[in-house]
Amino acid sequence: MSKKQKLELTWIGKDKRPALEPRILLEDPARSYHAERRVSEGDLFDNRLIFGDNLLALKALEQEYTGKVKCCFIDPPYNTGSAFTHYDDGLEHSIWLSLMRDRLEIIRRLLSEDGSLWITIDDNEAHYLKVVGDEIFGRDCYVSTLVWEKADSPRNSARQFSTDHDYVLVFSKTPDWQPFRLARTEEANAIYKNPDNDPKGPWLPGDPYANKPYSKGLYKVVGPTGRTFSPPPGRFWRVSEENFWRLDKEGRIWWGPTGNARPSIKRYLAEVGKLVPRTIWSKHDAGSNRTSKNEMRALFPGDASFDTPKPERLLQRVLLVATNPGDLVLDSFAGSGTTGAVAHKMGRRWIMVELGEHCHTHIIPRLKKVIDGDDPGGVTEAVGWKGGGGFRYYRLAPSLLEKDRWGNWVINRAYNAAMLAEALCKLEGFTYAPSETLWWQHGHSTERDFIWVTTQNLSAGQLQALSDEVGEGRSLLVLCSAFRGVSAEAAAERWPNLTLKKIPRVVLARCEWGRDDYSLNVQNLPMAERDEEPAPDQPKQGSLFDEKEP
């Protein structure tokens, strides 16, 4: 039978995926920062700032945080072409799409069942990225494309159109995701009036008719002046006749100032709820590029390191719609650190990842000001922020394996015993939790299944003693440099509660070792080796959708 075709975006090298190494994270207490005292009971201290390649960092977070992130906001490089001077157009899009695809796949796994992903992007890749997002999340998990008004004024130097907006693509983990509603604004309330001095307060006239057929919705009413009203052809009264006159008795039917107008059903301001989020976010509600530049100037006078930082009000609006206090927020393209700063002020837990040196020169100083209560700008006043809490700084550990002088893969000399045990626990799918009393328990996968990591060359006598101590009803995975005096097959039969594996051989084929840069800064990437024309079975970049042979 022919394989069922599907609609998908194709690009050069789409089928190639990196074999990522799940690195461990190393805390640097000297760069971690916490307030000297609690400001409130809700202070959050276990936020994470991670320095390193964001794809490797996402992989490093996967084991611990799968299904725990409520909201992920990312502001990736927009692929405007300026970063791709060494690549032709087809390869340019392909590199960007592959790098984004790899990140989105892990982000989806990190999201909770009620989680959502928000991506800021412009016209250069928005429509391609939407299709890639559909493939990863499913079209039924595409929520909407928001239009954010980023510009305060037109740019007359534009060759064709002055671009006033960016997009925010929103995807959810599950199809039934619902955004939280927004607080009402003075502008939204201003349309409610009270021309008849109704004691229930301001109201808005509502349409009394509905398009949906209603069995009790076909009748005539006579107004105060004797005028008769019926629904227009194809429409129906929204309520039954009995309920209509009940509403009229309660003063909820408006016949106009003279009593001769078509009846309307009053909708009182006191009875309406919060606002459904709309798809156009104006600069007045979410800030603009100028807003964010002013925020950065206030934080770092005389420093113009960021061309297009995102304003704090934009992040505030995202977090109001997507999260509750205490929820976990992730940003793997931290940039100037706006996501963490706003999440912190709003009482959300956060994780940020950044590879650039501005992680140290801008993000950390910015977060320190937030924690110390020395950042009066952005959303500080709006959310009543007074300071408090803290964060822990981590860097990615180096690759577990490195080549020795003869080209052989060996354990990286930077690893001590604890780092080695934690790294191999992660690689083998165990939770790293060294026992304080049992020297052979470095981690566990269940209550009865454990792991022990050692660089020793174990003898048969040592293995026998270990098996005796583990005992019946428990199992132990032993990762060691070597074992002697018995073969692997004989060991499995002799000690059924032990599983022996040699390191580093057991992990050699698992990952791409020694690679530290999967960044979207494509100038750092090597040129791809390819023919002048793609091979016949290689997809070209020319069209958005390709049909595959059955």
Side-chain angles (χ1 to χ4, degrees):
M1 290 180 63
S2 62
K3 193 174 182 181
K4 187 176 180 180
Q5 294 180 346
K6 66 177 181 178
L7 197 64
E8 64 176 320
L9 179 65
T10 63
W11 63 84
I12 298 169
K14 181 181 180 181
D15 59 330
K16 297 179 180 178
R17 297 171 183 267
L20 298 172
E21 176 188 357
R23 304 279 182 94
I24 61 173
L25 297 172
L26 305 175
E27 184 179 3
D28 183 348
R31 285 192 160 117
S32 300
Y33 192 77
H34 297 91
E36 294 181 356
R37 60 185 179 277
R38 283 188 174 272
V39 176
S40 71
E41 291 299 319
D43 287 358
L44 300 172
F45 292 90
D46 199 28
N47 304 297
R48 294 191 173 199
L49 175 61
I50 301 171
F51 179 68
D53 178 89
N54 64 7
L55 185 56
L56 287 170
L58 288 172
K59 188 66 178 178
L61 294 169
E62 191 173 20
Q63 183 185 46
E64 182 178 355
Y65 287 98
T66 288
K68 296 182 180 179
V69 174
K70 185 66 171 292
C71 173
C72 178
F73 176 91
I74 57 174
D75 181 24
Y78 282 7
N79 189 13
T80 59
S82 59
F84 292 91
T85 54
H86 302 298
Y87 299 84
D88 65 36
D89 185 65
L91 199 56
E92 165 192 328
H93 288 286
S94 296
I95 293 171
W96 192 89
L97 289 168
S98 289
L99 294 172
M100 287 302 301
R101 184 270 315 277
D102 297 338
R103 286 156 174 79
L104 295 185
E105 287 180 337
I106 300 179
I107 287 172
R108 184 185 180 280
R109 293 193 286 272
L110 293 174
L111 288 177
S112 61
E113 291 301 299
D114 57 351
S116 57
L117 167 65
W118 304 64
I119 315 172
T120 54
I121 200 70
D122 68 3
D123 277 314
N124 285 286
E125 295 288 1
H127 306 87
Y128 291 90
L129 184 59
K130 196 273 182 186
V131 180
V132 174
D134 284 346
E135 287 187 33
I136 295 169
F137 285 82
R139 291 188 69 176
D140 55 349
C141 288
Y142 163 71
V143 178
S144 188
T145 296
L146 312 181
V147 176
W148 168 53
E149 185 185 17
K150 67 177 181 179
D152 286 281
S153 58
R155 187 163 57 91
N156 290 325
S157 60
R159 187 170 64 88
Q160 294 173 319
F161 291 92
S162 177
T163 303
D164 291 345
H165 70 277
D166 277 351
Y167 300 107
V168 183
L169 303 184
V170 186
F171 293 90
S172 60
K173 180 68 172 285
T174 55
D176 57 352
W177 180 82
Q178 289 290 322
F180 296 114
R181 299 196 173 196
L182 295 166
R184 300 192 64 81
T185 63
E186 292 183 8
E187 181 183 4
N189 293 342
I191 63 176
Y192 287 79
K193 308 294 183 183
N194 195 358
D196 59 347
N197 295 316
D198 191 315
K200 297 184 182 70
W203 51 270
L204 196 66
D207 189 350
Y209 306 131
N211 294 326
K212 188 176 180 180
Y214 178 44
S215 61
K216 296 182 179 181
L218 289 175
Y219 55 86
K220 295 180 180 180
V221 298
V222 180
T225 63
R227 185 179 173 188
T228 301
F229 300 92
S230 297
R235 305 196 74 192
F236 306 81
W237 290 105
R238 192 175 294 275
V239 297
S240 67
E241 186 173 8
E242 179 184 358
N243 283 333
F244 180 92
W245 292 116
R246 178 181 58 79
L247 293 173
D248 184 58
K249 186 178 180 180
E250 295 173 354
R252 299 178 73 103
I253 300 295
W254 170 246
W255 299 93
T258 64
N260 197 44
R262 185 201 73 175
S264 300
I265 300 175
K266 292 181 179 180
R267 185 171 55 175
Y268 293 98
L269 175 59
E271 296 175 352
V272 297
K274 293 184 176 182
L275 299 173
V276 174
R278 303 176 69 177
T279 56
I280 296 180
W281 289 13
S282 73
K283 60 190 176 187
H284 303 293
D285 296 324
S288 65
N289 281 343
R290 181 175 297 175
T291 306
S292 54
K293 287 180 179 178
N294 289 338
E295 290 171 353
M296 293 304 295
R297 290 191 188 102
L299 289 167
F300 304 102
D303 191 328
S305 299
F306 298 94
D307 293 330
T308 56
K310 296 299 178 282
E312 289 200 7
R313 270 187 290 158
L314 175 64
L315 268 299
Q316 179 193 21
R317 200 170 182 84
V318 169
L319 298 186
L320 285 172
V321 170
T323 67
N324 281 313
D327 285 338
L328 179 60
V329 178
L330 169 67
D331 185 348
S332 55
F333 293 89
S336 62
T338 302
T339 300
V342 175
H344 202 99
K345 294 177 184 180
M346 293 178 66
R348 275 70 170 166
R349 297 176 296 130
W350 55 265
I351 299 173
M352 289 195 296
V353 182
E354 184 51 57
L355 176 61
E357 186 55 32
H358 54 271
C359 179
H360 308 121
T361 59
H362 290 77
I363 295 179
I364 291 179
R366 180 178 189 174
L367 293 174
K368 285 182 176 180
K369 290 182 179 181
V370 171
I371 292 165
D372 292 340
D374 292 335
D375 173 16
V379 301
T380 295
E381 184 176 347
V383 302
W385 178 247
K386 303 296 183 182
F391 68 91
R392 301 169 70 181
Y393 172 97
Y394 294 87
R395 57 182 173 83
L396 284 171
S399 182
L400 174 62
L401 303 185
E402 64 180 356
K403 285 189 175 181
D404 63 15
R405 59 191 297 183
W406 296 282
N408 299 313
W409 287 106
V410 296
I411 301 296
N412 195 318
R413 287 168 293 179
Y415 275 68
N416 58 32
M419 291 169 60
L420 177 62
E422 183 178 358
L424 287 172
C425 280
K426 180 169 282 193
L427 279 162
E428 291 292 328
F430 284 71
T431 299
Y432 178 64
S435 171
E436 295 181 358
T437 56
L438 298 174
W439 54 271
W440 49 268
Q441 284 188 16
H442 281 145
H444 59 83
S445 63
T446 68
E447 293 182 355
R448 311 295 294 174
D449 186 33
F450 304 95
I451 185 174
W452 178 49
V453 179
T454 178
T455 55
Q456 296 181 51
N457 184 342
L458 300 175
S459 67
Q462 288 172 307
L463 291 171
Q464 181 63 58
L466 181 60
S467 177
D468 293 341
E469 186 160 344
V470 172
E472 294 184 4
R474 293 190 292 195
S475 57
L476 180 67
L477 171 61
V478 180
L479 300 180
C480 57
S481 295
F483 48 90
R484 62 186 187 276
V486 63
S487 66
E489 293 77 10
E493 183 176 346
R494 184 172 176 182
W495 303 296
N497 58 351
L498 303 183
T499 300
L500 306 182
K501 294 183 179 181
K502 294 181 180 180
I503 53 174
R505 187 176 68 186
V506 67
V507 297
L508 270 178
R510 299 264 187 96
C511 312
E512 296 175 348
W513 304 105
R515 181 170 176 182
D516 295 312
D517 189 357
Y518 292 88
S519 70
L520 281 169
N521 182 10
V522 298
Q523 293 100 322
N524 295 338
L525 299 178
M527 285 294 294
E529 295 181 7
R530 62 186 181 91
D531 301 325
E532 288 298 317
E533 290 295 327
D537 61 343
Q538 186 79 349
K540 298 183 180 180
Q541 181 66 31
S543 61
L544 183 64
F545 299 106
D546 264 346
E547 289 189 3
K548 291 187 176 180
E549 291 294 329

